[in-house]
Amino acid sequence: MAMQSLATMKGQFRAKELLLRCRGFSHVAHRETIAHEIESPIPKMPPFDYAPPPYNGPSAAEILQKRKQFLSPSMFYFYNNTPLNVVDGKMQYLYDDTGRRYLDSFGGIATVCCGHCHPDVVQAIVNQTSRLQHSTILYLNPAITDFAEALASKMPGDLKVVFFTNSGTEANELAMMMARLYTGCHDIISLRNAYHGNAAGTMGATAQSNWKFNIVQSGVHHALNPDPYRGVFGSDGKMYAKDVEELITYGTSGHVAGFLSESIQGVGGIVELAPGYLPAVYSSIKKAGGLCIADEVQCGFARIGSHFWGFESQGVVPDIVTMAKGIGNGIPLGAVVTTAEIAEVLTRRSYFNTFGGNPVCTAAGHAVLKVIEKENLQENAHVVGSYLKERLNSLKDKHEIIGDVRGRGLMLGVELVTDRQLKTPARVETLHVMDQMKEMGVLIGKGGFFGNVFRITPPLCFTKEDADFLVDVMDHAMSKM
């Protein structure tokens, strides 16, 4: 929407005021309302040199009808009143069936790290697909070994052995099984408010009733969540860590298989673990004979900016690391990385994955690593993310509905509350602001147990201009409530 000239706006102001006076409404309230409307035009999206090709496919209504008829009713979607039909994407932008551009601040749930349809990643996929789309890992192929070598080079310590999967859920399932096999113990400790996947084992490790079905889930103990905003001990990581010691002492045989945690909880509402928490917990787990598993599905691959992996922000080295999402920029791909000694447990029986290590997927993953380094996306996530967080904190000073701003790099959360003292979740207001932002061209995620946290996880090519537009749109939407 083009900005109006100051003269034009002043003319509109005088015209509206005269009209109201003629109708008998000349008091101050109306004058202030008109002034606010004129002084607060809708923010303008940054320019971008790309035009998507014309779309000739089915309408959003037709697609919605087919979804209802042929897809599982469990598959929900955002913007219930006006579902978005996304048909094109380029870097940090998405386009609907009318060609309208949207700033993607969600990144396909922290998945698109290099940017939508990044030319280097696309070319790697096309080149590999044209040569060999799939065979089997029972044969040799350079794509899987080249990527495994490149991925291992990004890991600390002895984390050098890679097992490829198709998703984060699958990676976490495998990691939990490996920990149980290696230690000979069954008990695993995870955190309340965690999300690790929706298969049998990972659903047990997940600790939000929203994501758990009433099925058998055994051998997992959920520790107090070291949440600096809502947690009982504030930002005191060592106090939360004592709860893990007590779980080991009173809830297990004294020996455990492992500890599984996200470095920053994604689905749980971008909750960064209290400082000092992981070093203390890792120490307790080691004493109990367990392995430490870092779930990097959402916060890995340079997203937090300050480090390449989320666990590095707390100065720890896990025994097993799981990853997915950003690993392939949208390609179905996941991985488990561990030590040679721990990896040996999978040789006790035959363990196989048909698509894990697919040449097209691993070629894409290798291209992603190259792009992150070539375009310095980790530094960009740090610089732009820090700037964006600063602007969001300024917005918090302006709007009482914002209870907390948190996260690192381009993995940020904004929690909305109706009462800052009571921290009452602003669920309805969150949906309203989200809808209004979409109408102004910004797509944003939503999460947290109460559904009142904006999840900001855009492609890592996000710019300061994009950050300004996002915050200005959020400000505009909140100012109109």
Side-chain angles (χ1 to χ4, degrees):
M1 178 178 177
M3 293 285 190
Q4 296 168 304
S5 68
L6 183 60
T8 301
M9 288 192 289
K10 286 181 177 178
Q12 288 180 338
F13 182 92
R14 286 193 292 269
K16 283 189 176 183
E17 185 178 28
L18 181 60
L19 179 62
L20 288 172
R21 281 180 178 173
C22 291
R23 293 176 176 174
F25 298 100
S26 58
H27 34 74
V28 176
H30 289 285
R31 184 182 183 92
E32 290 178 345
T33 299
I34 299 168
H36 180 75
E37 289 178 0
I38 294 175
E39 292 169 4
S40 303
I42 295 175
K44 187 176 181 181
M45 188 180 295
F48 188 65
D49 188 19
Y50 175 77
Y55 174 73
N56 299 313
S59 67
E62 291 172 314
I63 295 172
L64 186 59
Q65 179 58 39
K66 285 186 179 181
R67 277 180 68 124
K68 291 178 178 178
Q69 185 176 358
F70 297 112
L71 296 183
S72 168
S74 67
M75 295 184 180
F76 60 92
Y77 48 88
F78 283 164
Y79 315 112
N80 288 336
N81 293 328
T82 54
L84 190 63
N85 185 17
V86 176
V87 300
D88 208 296
K90 193 69 173 178
M91 301 309 288
Q92 66 269 45
Y93 294 102
L94 289 171
Y95 298 81
D96 67 12
D97 48 3
T98 70
R100 183 183 177 185
R101 178 163 58 108
Y102 296 86
L103 178 64
D104 183 10
S105 304
F106 199 23
I109 316 179
T111 296
V112 180
C113 63
C114 299
H116 292 283
C117 299
H118 190 288
D120 290 8
V121 180
V122 169
Q123 194 59 54
I125 293 170
V126 170
N127 289 346
Q128 182 59 55
T129 302
S130 64
R131 183 153 192 166
L132 179 67
Q133 184 177 346
H134 181 74
S135 58
T136 168
I137 58 169
L138 299 178
Y139 306 142
L140 301 184
N141 184 272
I144 184 171
T145 50
D146 288 349
F147 180 40
E149 180 183 26
L151 191 57
S153 72
K154 303 297 292 185
M155 307 301 300
D158 296 326
L159 295 166
K160 300 301 178 187
V161 180
V162 183
F163 194 104
F164 289 112
T165 67
N166 306 295
S167 68
T169 291
E170 192 178 330
N172 283 330
E173 286 276 335
L174 176 57
M176 291 169 67
M177 183 177 75
M178 291 173 73
R180 285 168 167 159
L181 290 172
Y182 182 80
T183 62
C185 296
H186 187 67
D187 291 297
I188 284 177
I189 297 174
S190 68
L191 298 177
R192 296 177 189 175
N193 198 53
Y195 180 87
H196 295 292
N198 54 14
T202 49
M203 188 175 291
T206 292
Q208 294 186 52
S209 58
N210 299 336
W211 300 97
K212 294 169 76 76
F213 286 99
N214 186 25
I215 60 173
V216 175
Q217 299 167 37
S218 66
V220 179
H221 308 265
H222 298 111
L224 286 175
N225 193 32
D227 180 350
Y229 181 62
R230 289 186 175 272
V232 292
F233 299 122
S235 296
D236 192 337
K238 292 183 179 180
M239 285 297 293
Y240 292 106
K242 288 183 178 179
D243 184 55
V244 173
E245 286 186 11
E246 293 185 357
L247 276 178
I248 294 171
T249 301
Y250 298 105
T252 75
S253 65
H255 299 280
V256 297
F259 171 78
L260 171 64
S261 76
E262 305 158 89
S263 306
I264 298 178
Q265 294 175 341
V267 173
I270 316 297
V271 178
E272 193 171 2
L273 309 186
Y277 179 74
L278 286 184
V281 169
Y282 275 28
S283 177
S284 297
I285 294 297
K286 293 292 187 182
K287 289 177 183 177
L291 300 182
C292 300
I293 307 169
D295 180 339
E296 293 286 321
V297 170
Q298 293 199 31
C299 59
F301 291 90
R303 178 159 293 282
I304 70 168
S306 59
H307 302 82
F308 196 85
W309 306 108
F311 62 80
E312 293 177 306
S313 66
Q314 293 230 353
V316 296
V317 178
D319 300 295
I320 303 174
V321 181
T322 63
M323 57 198 73
K325 292 189 181 291
I327 191 174
N329 202 50
I331 284 286
L333 180 63
V336 177
V337 184
T338 188
T339 66
E341 183 182 5
I342 296 171
E344 190 71 20
V345 300
L346 292 183
T347 65
R348 298 175 187 175
R349 296 289 188 276
S350 295
Y351 189 83
F352 182 76
N353 187 308
T354 299
F355 295 106
N358 169 273
V360 175
C361 294
T362 48
H366 200 175
V368 166
L369 281 184
K370 293 176 181 177
V371 169
I372 290 174
E373 292 197 9
K374 183 178 77 171
E375 299 185 1
N376 206 15
L377 293 183
Q378 181 177 330
E379 176 66 14
N380 189 68
H382 174 66
V383 172
V384 175
S386 298
Y387 174 76
L388 175 55
K389 188 175 183 180
E390 184 179 323
R391 283 223 56 197
L392 289 169
N393 272 312
S394 296
L395 205 62
K396 177 185 172 185
D397 295 336
K398 180 178 179 181
H399 298 286
E400 281 288 320
I401 195 171
I402 298 179
D404 193 34
V405 173
R406 53 182 181 256
R408 286 183 179 226
L410 288 174
M411 187 171 184
L412 301 175
V414 179
E415 181 158 355
L416 304 191
V417 294
T418 56
D419 186 305
R420 282 190 176 180
Q421 294 300 315
L422 299 176
K423 300 178 182 177
T424 310
R427 302 176 185 178
V428 175
E429 293 83 353
T430 300
L431 285 173
H432 174 76
V433 173
M434 188 176 178
D435 281 336
Q436 292 303 304
M437 291 181 70
K438 175 245 190 180
E439 292 303 314
M440 289 183 273
V442 175
L443 306 179
I444 198 166
K446 178 176 69 70
F449 181 77
F450 303 107
N452 67 317
V453 181
F454 287 129
R455 296 165 64 189
I456 303 173
T457 56
L460 304 188
C461 54
F462 221 59
T463 68
K464 286 187 176 180
E465 291 74 22
D466 296 323
D468 283 332
F469 179 59
L470 185 157
V471 176
D472 290 346
V473 165
M474 187 179 290
D475 181 23
H476 191 89
M478 289 180 175
S479 297
K480 296 291 185 180
M481 290 177 65

